């Protein structure tokens, strides 16, 4: 957790377009183009949403803005209005202690103050950096999403704190307790239906500069660390103020 970083000052720079392309709050995105080449094999599937390849046209270069737009608008669990002026993308791991703190203490406050008010659209993306157990848990959460119960499953998983509770059998038990269709959930998890999606989101988080979890994109700008609600509040209010002054409040 990067409690010592000047979070608000970094956001202020991004909101006035002073942050160079490829640089993020918390780190520099050196070698961004080179990193993207390593995930090229995954992009063809994941980025059809943003029209990487349009019928009858040659594929165009994939920019950072394309990646951000797809992470913001592509399929996946979300909360809040599609028209919210601020979009927050979280990269998270179910075995990350700081992610658990954010999910249990900070996100409910963001929900009450900003998401319910239509000010923020919140998007969850997987970034599985803590081994096979977290990778399996992420797939299970996506299987729950397929039955409309992602956030309920999300809360169950963040109520645990050991990789030993993220076995296939245990994950299926959690699904049963949420009254998910057991046969469908088991088939989804056993088949690895969402494995590629979880891998892709993880690689893209790293490609965009996330060095650990939790990490966040706030209107496209990267912030790393589980900051307290008050720090997020200052940043959100700054971005909301910028969006009220300009037709498009996003930093380019």
């Amino acid at each position: 957790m990067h409690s010592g970083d000047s979070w608000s000052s970094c956001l202020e720079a991004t909101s006035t377009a002073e942050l160079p392309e490829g640089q993020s709050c918390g780190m520099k995105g050196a070698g961004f183009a080179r990193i993207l080449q390593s995930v090229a094999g995954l992009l063809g599937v994941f980025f059809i949403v943003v029209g990487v390849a349009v019928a009858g046209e040659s594929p165009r270069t994939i920019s950072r803005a394309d990646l951000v737009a797809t992470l913001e608008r592509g399929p996946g669990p979300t909360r809040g209005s599609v028209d919210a002026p601020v979009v927050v993308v979280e990269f998270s791991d179910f075995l990350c202690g700081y992610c658990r703190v954010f999910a249990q203490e900070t996100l409910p406050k963001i929900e009450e103050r900003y998401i319910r008010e239509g000010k923020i659209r919140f998007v969850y993306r997987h970034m599985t950096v803590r081994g096979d157990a977290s990778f399996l848990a992420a797939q299970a959460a996506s299987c729950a999403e397929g039955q409309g119960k992602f956030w309920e499953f999300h809360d169950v998983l963040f109520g645990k704190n050991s990789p030993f509770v993220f076995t296939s059998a245990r994950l299926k038990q959690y699904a049963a307790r949420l009254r998910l269709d057991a046969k469908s959930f088991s088939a989804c998890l056993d088949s690895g239906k969402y494995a590629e999606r979880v891998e892709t989101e993880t690689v893209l988080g790293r490609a965009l500069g996330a060095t650990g979890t939790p990490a966040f994109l706030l209107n496209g700008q990267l912030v790393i660390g589980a900051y307290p609600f008050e720090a997020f509040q200052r940043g959100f209010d700054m971005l909301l103020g910028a969006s009220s002054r300009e037709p498009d409040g996003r930093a380019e």
Side-chain angles (χ1 to χ4, degrees), residues 94 126 132-142 153 157 166 171 189:
F94 288 114
H126 300 291
D132 292 342
S134 65
F135 182 59
L136 187 63
Q139 293 177 70
S142 292
F153 206 82
L157 295 186
F166 286 170
L171 292 166
L189 187 60

Side-chain angles (χ1 to χ4, degrees), residues 5-18:
D5 292 346
S6 182
W7 194 83
S8 296
S9 63
C10 185
L11 277 182
E12 184 173 6
T14 66
S15 68
T16 56
E18 294 176 2

Side-chain angles (χ1 to χ4, degrees), residues 88-92 99 102 122-126 214-217:
V88 177
V89 178
E90 179 191 13
F91 292 99
S92 186
C99 299
F102 175 83
F122 188 89
V123 183
Y124 185 98
R125 298 296 180 188
H126 300 291
F216 305 86
L217 294 173

Side-chain angles (χ1 to χ4, degrees), residues 1-7 102 106 216 223-229 231-232:
M1 184 166 64
H2 301 258
S3 58
D5 292 346
S6 182
W7 194 83
F102 175 83
T106 306
F216 305 86
V223 175
I224 304 172
Y227 294 89
F229 170 72
F232 281 101

Side-chain angles (χ1 to χ4, degrees), residues 18-241:
E18 294 176 2
L19 195 66
E21 176 74 9
Q23 184 172 331
S24 63
C25 297
M27 71 166 292
K28 295 182 179 179
F32 182 74
R34 176 179 54 78
I35 295 172
L36 282 185
Q37 291 177 353
S38 69
V39 299
L42 297 174
L43 297 180
V45 174
F46 193 73
F47 289 103
I48 192 169
V49 175
V50 293
V52 171
V54 179
E57 297 182 11
S58 299
R60 60 187 175 81
T61 301
I62 299 168
S63 68
R64 184 183 188 280
D66 287 332
L67 303 188
V68 171
T70 299
L71 289 165
E72 289 181 343
R73 300 296 175 181
T78 66
R79 302 167 93 156
S81 170
V82 69
D83 298 318
V86 174
V87 181
V88 177
V89 178
E90 179 191 13
F91 292 99
S92 186
D93 186 307
F94 288 114
L95 280 175
C96 163
Y98 289 131
C99 299
R100 184 180 308 111
V101 171
F102 175 83
Q104 295 178 341
E105 299 180 10
T106 306
L107 183 56
K109 295 177 183 178
I110 295 174
E111 172 84 34
E112 180 179 2
R113 178 72 180 266
Y114 295 98
I115 298 175
R116 292 179 186 171
E117 297 295 323
K119 298 176 181 178
I120 283 178
R121 181 172 182 264
F122 188 89
V123 183
Y124 185 98
R125 298 296 180 188
H126 300 291
M127 187 169 169
T128 55
V129 295
R130 287 168 173 77
D132 292 342
S134 65
F135 182 59
L136 187 63
Q139 293 177 70
S142 292
C143 290
E145 178 194 350
Q147 295 192 42
K149 289 287 186 77
F150 173 83
W151 294 107
E152 293 87 344
F153 206 82
H154 163 280
D155 292 345
V156 168
L157 295 186
F158 275 126
K160 315 297 180 182
N161 58 9
S162 166
F164 301 109
V165 299
F166 286 170
T167 64
S168 179
R170 291 287 185 89
L171 292 166
K172 291 173 184 178
Q173 289 176 7
Y174 307 150
R177 292 171 189 169
L178 291 174
R179 299 177 182 266
L180 297 180
D181 182 274
K183 184 177 180 180
S184 177
F185 183 89
S186 293
C188 176
L189 187 60
D190 293 344
S191 69
K193 178 179 180 179
Y194 290 104
E196 185 174 3
R197 175 168 147 186
V198 172
E199 289 174 346
T200 301
E201 292 182 1
T202 298
V203 172
L204 291 179
R206 291 190 179 280
L208 287 168
T211 55
T213 53
F216 305 86
L217 294 173
L218 277 65
N219 277 1
Q221 300 301 332
L222 183 66
V223 175
I224 304 172
Y227 294 89
F229 170 72
E230 291 74 19
F232 281 101
Q233 182 178 23
R234 290 193 295 272
F236 293 154
D237 289 347
M238 187 181 303
L239 291 173
L240 287 166

